[in-house]
Amino acid sequence: MCGTDKKLGEMRALILVGGYGTRLRPLTLSRPKPLVEFANKPILLHQIEALVEAGVTQVILAVSYRAEEMEKELTEQVSKLGVSLTFSHETEPLGTAGPLALARDILNASTEPFFVLNSDVICDFPFKELARYHSSHGKEGTIVVTKVEEPSKYGVVVYNENGQIQNFVEKPQEFISNKINAGMYILNPSVLKRIELRPTSIEKEVFPFMAKDGELHAMELQGFWMDVGQPKDFLTGMCMYLNSLRQKNSALLHDGNEVVGNVLIDSSAKIGKGCRIGPNVTIGPDVTIEDGACIKRSTILRGACVRQHAWLEGCIVGWRSVVGRWVRMENCTVLGEDVIVKDELYINGGQVLPHKSIAASVPEPQIIM
Amino acid sequence: MLKAVILIGGPQKDTPKPLFPIAGLPLIQHHIKACVKLVECKEILIIGSYTINHMAQFVSDMQKEYQIIIRYLQEFTPLGTAGCLYHFRDQIRAGNTSSFFLLNGDVCADFPLQELWIFHEKRGPNALITIMGTEATRQQSVHYGCMAIEPTSKAVTHYVEKPNSYVSTLISCGVYVCSVHVFNIMAKVFEEKDNCYYSTNGVSSPQPGYMSWEQDILAPLAGTTKLYAMQVTNWWSQVKTPGSAIYANRHYLELYRKRDAQNAPTANCKIIPDVYIHPTAEIDSSAVIGPNVSIGAGVKIMAGVRIKESIILSNARIHDHALIMHSIVGQDATVGEWSRVEGTPSDPDPNKPFAKMDNTPLFNVDGRLNPSITILGSLCNVVSLIDELRNEGFRRRTRVTNTAHGSIKKVEVGNGRATSLVDLRKKGSRRAIMNWTLQHGATSL
C-alpha cells in the first residue's frame, strides 16, 4: 500500500488545452478559455488543484493559443501549489492524440503512467482512484466513463463486467450503453508507441486499437460531470458544482438574508439591500450588485456591476460589464468583457461581444457585434 | 342657445369605453371639459345604449363638477348615428336651441369648439352643418370619412365614408356644429326610409327609423352648399384600440400642462413628466414614474418600481422592482415583484406628416395577434415566481401560464368580469404578449 502512494507522488499529467475556445465566445475573445473563471476559479486551476491533490508533481499543458498570457498567469497561480508546469507548444493543432507525441520525451522520462485530460471537464476528479484502479488491472490504459441520459447523442463505451473495453459506438441508434468517455485517462508510456506526431484523434485513432488488443479499461465516475465548453453547459456545470460543494458542507457557500440556495460570493463583492441572489449564482471579486437586484442561475465575473432592480436568470456577465437598472436578461445571455446594457432593456439569449454598449432590447436570441 | 351632444354608442363589454380613464379623466370628460368652456353652451346630452346605471354616477359627478345640465339619454333600439339624434330631437331642440355641437365619443382632441362655431356662423343661415376636418395621409385617409371642399367658400362638394379607393386627404374628425334645421332634412330622410322599409317588407333597412349620419345625411348634403368643413391642425385621434389610449394619454397630459398650466403631481418619488397621479394613489419614494403615465385611484406602488408609457387603473397593486412599459394594467390587477410587463408601442409613424394611429385589428391575416401594447385585464394577477405556490389556491376561472416578453410568468384572471385576455406566443420564441382590446368581447382561454 505504501508503495502505491509513493508511485502517485511521482506522477505527471498532460492537459489538452488546445484550441481557440470558440464555443465559449464571447468570453474567450478576452481571455483564453482555461483562464475563464468557473465558480470564481479558472477552469484549468480546478483540474490542476485536483491533480496536485492526487500527488501529481508535473503538469504538461499542451497549448496552441495565447500561450504567453496563459503561461504568465498560470505560473503565478500554480507556484503556491508546489507543482511544476511545462508548456508544450503546438505549431499546428494536433488534435487529441498528437500533443502526446509532441511531449513524448517528457512523458517517456519515467516508466510511470500519466494522466491525460480534456481541459473543459468539471467533476469530482477521481485521480487517486483512477491511478489505483489502473495499477490493479495492469493494462496500458484506463478511461474514465460517465453515465448520460441520452446516449444516442454521444459515442458510447461498451465494456465487460471487469471493466475491459470491448468497443466504441458512435451515436448508437439502439441502446447499447449509457456510458461515455469523460475526457480523463491514465496511460502507460508504452501507449506513446501507438501515436504518430501528426494531427490525430485519441478517441478514434488510438483507443479503438487499444480496446481491440484488450489493453483498455473503463472506470465509472461517481458524482457529477460536465463539459463546460459552452455557455449553456457552463451554467449547468456551475449548478452541479455548487450542489457538490453543498454536499461537502463547504463553508465557501454564502449565507444571508438576500441569498437563496447555493450561492458563491467573493468576499470583495458588494451586495446591496433588498436583493435576491440565488439559487445557483457565482459572484466574482470586486463585483457590485446594487439594491433590489434579483439574480438566479448566473455567473457574474470580476469587476462587473448589476444595477438596481435588474433581474437575471441563466446569464454570464463578463468582466467589468454593467447591467442597467430594471434590465431583464435571461435564456443564456452572455455579456463579453466591458459590455454596457442600458436601463430598462430586455435581453433574451443575447451573445454580446466585448466593449459593446447595448441601447435597444434584444427580444430573440442572437449574437450582437 | 347652444347645446352639445356626445354619441357614445353601446356596450361591447362591461367597462364602458366612454368612461375609460385617459390622463386621469374618463374619455368623454375631455369632451365635456371642451364644451363647458363655451358660455353659450347650456346643456350637454350624452346619447348611447349603455344602461342608465352604468352612466348615472358619472353624469351626476359631471353636473357637480361643471355646474351645467348634463343628461344621459339611453337608446333602446339601434337606430344608427342619425337615427338616435332624430329620435331625441325634441330633447335637443327644447329650450329654443339654435345650434348644437355633435361629438363622437371615441375621439380625443384639442377640440376647437369656439372656432368651429364662429366658422359655422360665418357661413350664413343656409349652412346646416360644419364638419371639423383634418389632414390625413393618402394611405390612411380611406379609413375615415373623406371629403372634398370648394377652396374659398369651404362648402363640402363631395363626402364619402371609408371609400375603397383614394378620394381626398381631408377627413372628418367626427366633430360637428349643426343648426337645428338639420332635423328638417332628417325628417325627409326618415320619411323616405320609412316608406321604403314598408314597401319592401323590411328588407331595405335594418330597422324602421334607422339612419346613418354619414351615409344618409352628410353624403347627400355634399354639393348643396348646406354642408361645410373647417380644416384644423389641432391634435386629434380616434380611440379605437388600446394602443391609442396610451397615445391619447400622452397628448392630453401635454395639452393640459401647456394650455391649462395643470400642476405636476405632488409625489415624493421621482417623476419624469408628464404624469398624472390620483391623490389617493400610494407610491413608494424609490419608484420612478414617467413619462406618459396615468395612475388611478387607490393604486399602490411599492419600492423600486419603474413605470413609463402606461395607464394603471384604479386599485391595482404593483409590487417591488416591477417594470411596466407600454401597457395598461386593469382595475384591481396585481403585478408581482420583479415582473416585467412590456408592450409594443403603436404610435403613429412620426416620420410621416399627418399620420394617424393605425387601428390594426387584433389578429393579422395569418391569424396571429398583431403586436400591440400589453393589457392586463381587471383582477388579473401577474405572479412572481416566489408567489407561485402561495397563489395556487387562488380563486379563478381562467388561468394562463405564459411569458410576455419573457416576463409574465403566470397570469391569473379573476372572475372574468370586464376581462378578456388573448395569449400571443410567437412561434418558436418565448415572447408572448397579453393583449386585450376595448372592442372585443371576452376571449375564452
Side-chain angles (χ1 to χ4, degrees):
Chain A
M1 226 31 220
C2 222
T4 318
D5 277 353
K6 190 167 170 275
K7 272 181 190 173
L8 282 177
E10 294 159 4
M11 293 199 77
R12 295 149 304 155
L14 184 138
I15 302 178
L16 297 162
V17 175
Y20 287 87
T22 49
R23 292 186 305 160
L24 206 54
R25 275 182 189 163
L27 297 173
T28 47
L29 294 170
S30 304
R31 255 166 108 71
K33 184 173 61 181
L35 293 184
V36 171
E37 298 92 332
F38 174 89
N40 285 350
K41 197 191 290 178
I43 297 176
L44 199 56
L45 218 57
H46 285 274
Q47 296 162 340
I48 294 176
E49 282 183 4
L51 289 166
V52 170
E53 173 78 22
V56 168
T57 51
Q58 187 181 17
V59 174
I60 302 143
L61 298 176
V63 294
S64 65
Y65 153 74
R66 273 184 194 260
E68 307 78 20
E69 189 191 338
M70 200 159 62
E71 277 193 50
K72 187 167 165 282
E73 187 160 346
L74 273 178
T75 310
E76 251 168 52
Q77 300 223 29
V78 162
S79 59
K80 310 161 210 158
L81 298 173
V83 61
S84 81
L85 275 192
T86 308
F87 288 85
S88 173
H89 293 269
E90 303 164 35
T91 46
E92 57 167 335
L94 291 173
T96 48
L100 273 72
L102 190 66
R104 191 187 303 268
D105 292 345
I106 311 171
L107 296 172
N108 264 331
S110 152
T111 54
E112 291 301 324
F114 54 87
F115 295 108
V116 175
L117 54 150
N118 288 341
S119 69
D120 295 345
V121 169
I122 287 291
C123 63
D124 275 330
F125 295 101
F127 297 125
K128 269 186 185 162
E129 300 85 317
L130 181 58
R132 220 170 274 141
Y133 175 66
H134 182 69
S135 73
S136 76
H137 64 66
K139 302 294 183 190
E140 273 191 299
T142 309
I143 297 180
V144 178
V145 295
T146 186
K147 199 166 116 179
V148 289
E149 285 183 354
E150 295 176 48
S152 59
K153 290 198 291 191
Y154 303 89
V156 298
V157 184
V158 183
Y159 50 91
N160 66 18
E161 63 276 18
N162 301 324
Q164 191 175 40
I165 294 176
Q166 286 147 334
N167 59 335
F168 298 87
V169 182
E170 254 326 291
K171 298 189 173 59
Q173 292 309 299
E174 289 294 318
F175 180 83
I176 183 161
S177 160
N178 57 7
K179 303 296 192 303
I180 65 160
N181 178 347
M184 291 175 280
Y185 327 110
I186 186 166
L187 305 172
N188 290 344
S190 61
V191 172
L192 295 168
K193 292 177 197 146
R194 298 173 178 269
I195 305 170
E196 291 170 44
L197 183 55
R198 62 175 174 85
T200 155
S201 157
I202 200 165
E203 296 88 350
K204 294 200 173 73
E205 296 173 69
V206 180
F207 288 159
F209 297 100
M210 289 173 71
K212 219 174 179 182
D213 299 346
E215 287 292 336
L216 198 57
H217 273 246
M219 187 186 89
E220 287 174 23
L221 178 68
Q222 306 302 311
F224 77 100
W225 175 88
M226 199 71 205
D227 177 335
V228 296
Q230 43 191 327
K232 191 167 162 279
D233 299 335
F234 183 96
L235 291 173
T236 307
M238 180 194 67
C239 297
M240 291 171 163
Y241 177 83
L242 294 182
N243 190 39
S244 152
L245 278 187
R246 172 70 72 195
Q247 280 163 10
K248 290 177 195 155
N249 252 330
S250 173
L252 293 170
L253 290 174
H254 204 267
D255 270 322
N257 275 339
E258 64 281 350
V259 160
V260 186
N262 302 330
V263 173
L264 199 59
I265 300 180
D266 188 272
S267 58
S268 63
K270 289 191 201 71
I271 310 293
K273 289 192 232 72
C275 290
R276 188 184 292 151
I277 315 287
N280 299 314
V281 172
T282 302
I283 292 178
D286 306 321
V287 165
T288 306
I289 309 293
E290 293 189 356
D291 296 354
C294 179
I295 306 175
K296 304 185 236 188
R297 198 185 156 86
S298 295
T299 289
I300 316 295
L301 294 172
R302 179 190 288 271
C305 176
V306 176
R307 302 209 58 208
Q308 289 170 44
H309 317 298
W311 188 99
L312 279 65
E313 182 171 18
C315 299
I316 305 174
V317 175
W319 309 274
R320 297 185 296 111
S321 286
V322 179
V323 177
R325 299 183 302 164
W326 289 288
V327 163
R328 183 186 177 95
M329 299 203 309
E330 61 185 341
N331 196 14
C332 219
T333 289
V334 184
L335 304 184
E337 183 187 15
D338 181 34
V339 166
I340 296 170
V341 179
K342 297 243 165 89
D343 289 355
E344 299 161 19
L345 298 182
Y346 171 53
I347 313 285
N348 175 18
Q351 313 266 309
V352 187
L353 268 62
H355 314 297
K356 178 90 193 147
S357 177
I358 307 272
S361 287
V362 180
E364 305 299 335
Q366 58 184 280
I367 296 165
I368 297 130
M369 317 222 249
Chain B
M1 171 167 133
L2 283 176
K3 286 192 184 182
V5 177
I6 304 170
L7 301 178
I8 61 171
Q12 280 109 0
K13 52 196 291 85
D14 292 345
T15 304
K17 184 166 90 170
L19 301 186
F20 187 88
I22 289 179
L25 304 179
L27 178 56
I28 58 167
Q29 189 173 345
H30 298 284
H31 297 60
I32 294 169
K33 266 182 87 145
C35 294
V36 297
K37 285 223 165 91
L38 273 86
V39 285
E40 297 87 348
C41 183
K42 302 294 184 199
E43 184 178 47
I44 298 170
L45 298 169
I46 300 167
I47 303 178
S49 56
Y50 293 93
T51 57
I52 191 83
N53 51 9
H54 270 123
M55 302 300 295
Q57 184 65 46
F58 171 74
V59 168
S60 103
D61 289 350
M62 291 301 102
Q63 296 239 38
K64 265 182 231 142
E65 186 162 350
Y66 296 108
Q67 299 295 316
I68 186 172
I69 306 166
I70 300 181
R71 287 189 293 146
Y72 176 61
L73 305 175
Q74 188 184 350
E75 41 169 347
F76 291 93
T77 36
L79 296 175
T81 38
C84 73
L85 278 181
Y86 187 65
H87 180 76
F88 290 115
R89 62 193 178 279
D90 290 339
Q91 304 284 343
I92 297 166
R93 284 194 292 217
N96 202 16
T97 310
S98 61
S99 303
F100 62 95
F101 293 102
L102 178 63
L103 301 102
N104 276 347
D106 66 355
V107 299
C108 53
D110 175 10
F111 297 102
L113 298 185
Q114 180 85 44
E115 293 90 323
L116 197 61
W117 185 45
I118 293 169
F119 179 96
H120 182 71
E121 289 287 285
K122 280 189 185 159
R123 300 307 110 184
N126 203 23
L128 284 184
I129 303 169
T130 295
I131 304 173
M132 170 178 157
T134 196
E135 185 86 10
T137 64
R138 247 181 111 90
Q139 292 88 345
Q140 288 180 327
S141 65
V142 295
H143 305 304
Y144 299 88
C146 295
M147 49 198 182
I149 54 170
E150 201 281 307
T152 43
S153 72
K154 311 293 181 195
V156 175
T157 53
H158 184 70
Y159 184 99
V160 56
E161 186 67 13
K162 300 187 181 70
N164 290 320
S165 55
Y166 169 73
V167 171
S168 160
T169 54
L170 182 62
I171 59 163
S172 164
C173 296
V175 176
Y176 317 86
V177 191
C178 310
S179 303
V180 281
H181 304 300
V182 78
F183 288 120
N184 302 338
I185 300 285
M186 290 168 98
K188 278 185 204 149
V189 175
F190 182 87
E191 201 178 326
E192 281 166 24
K193 296 201 81 156
D194 217 29
N195 290 339
C196 193
Y197 181 80
Y198 287 104
S199 63
T200 60
N201 285 330
V203 294
S204 65
S205 166
Q207 281 275 351
Y210 183 94
M211 284 190 282
S212 156
W213 176 251
E214 292 82 9
Q215 260 129 43
D216 296 323
I217 311 296
L218 296 184
L221 277 180
T224 63
T225 72
K226 290 186 171 111
L227 184 66
Y228 293 87
M230 180 180 89
Q231 188 171 350
V232 303
T233 53
N234 301 33
W235 161 67
W236 172 86
S237 175
Q238 281 186 320
V239 188
K240 293 268 190 208
T241 60
S244 52
I246 304 276
Y247 174 70
N249 195 65
R250 178 181 321 119
H251 283 275
Y252 272 133
L253 286 173
E254 190 191 330
L255 182 69
Y256 293 144
R257 172 172 49 81
K258 285 188 178 154
R259 198 184 63 192
D260 305 349
Q262 189 167 290
N263 289 333
T266 49
N268 58 352
C269 67
K270 190 180 177 204
I271 301 273
I272 303 164
D274 297 326
V275 169
Y276 167 83
I277 297 173
H278 193 276
T280 59
E282 286 175 44
I283 302 182
D284 188 275
S285 61
S286 60
V288 181
I289 313 288
N292 186 22
V293 172
S294 286
I295 293 176
V299 168
K300 273 210 171 127
I301 293 178
M302 318 292 181
V305 167
R306 175 80 182 96
I307 304 176
K308 61 187 210 183
E309 301 286 343
S310 295
I311 298 174
I312 313 297
L313 301 185
S314 56
N315 300 315
R317 293 171 75 88
I318 317 294
H319 287 276
D320 302 36
H321 318 297
L323 168 72
I324 297 171
M325 54 202 278
H326 305 291
S327 300
I328 295 173
V329 175
Q331 283 171 29
D332 302 293
T334 306
V335 175
E337 52 186 358
W338 280 297
S339 294
R340 183 185 181 96
V341 178
E342 182 183 359
T344 307
S346 48
D347 281 359
D349 187 342
N351 299 318
K352 280 191 193 155
F354 309 117
K356 307 282 179 268
M357 287 287 303
D358 266 323
N359 293 328
T360 49
L362 191 55
F363 298 99
N364 65 21
V365 285
D366 302 328
R368 292 201 215 149
L369 273 166
N370 278 315
S372 165
I373 65 158
T374 289
I375 316 269
L376 302 179
S378 57
L379 294 164
C380 185
N381 190 4
V382 180
V383 186
S384 66
L385 268 178
I386 296 297
D387 291 330
E388 216 162 319
L389 289 172
R390 212 186 299 155
N391 275 299
E392 279 303 322
F394 197 81
R395 182 176 60 90
R396 64 196 175 232
R397 263 175 53 180
T398 321
R399 183 172 128 179
V400 197
T401 306
N402 80 341
T403 57
H405 274 219
S407 37
I408 294 176
K409 283 296 172 197
K410 182 186 280 181
V411 175
E412 301 210 6
V413 181
N415 62 6
R417 191 183 152 273
T419 309
S420 69
L421 282 157
V422 181
D423 169 19
L424 164 64
R425 213 179 298 242
K426 263 173 88 180
K427 217 175 170 183
S429 84
R430 302 184 59 202
R431 172 173 163 164
I433 294 170
M434 306 304 303
N435 203 325
W436 170 78
T437 70
L438 295 161
Q439 297 99 335
H440 290 73
T443 307
S444 58
L445 288 160

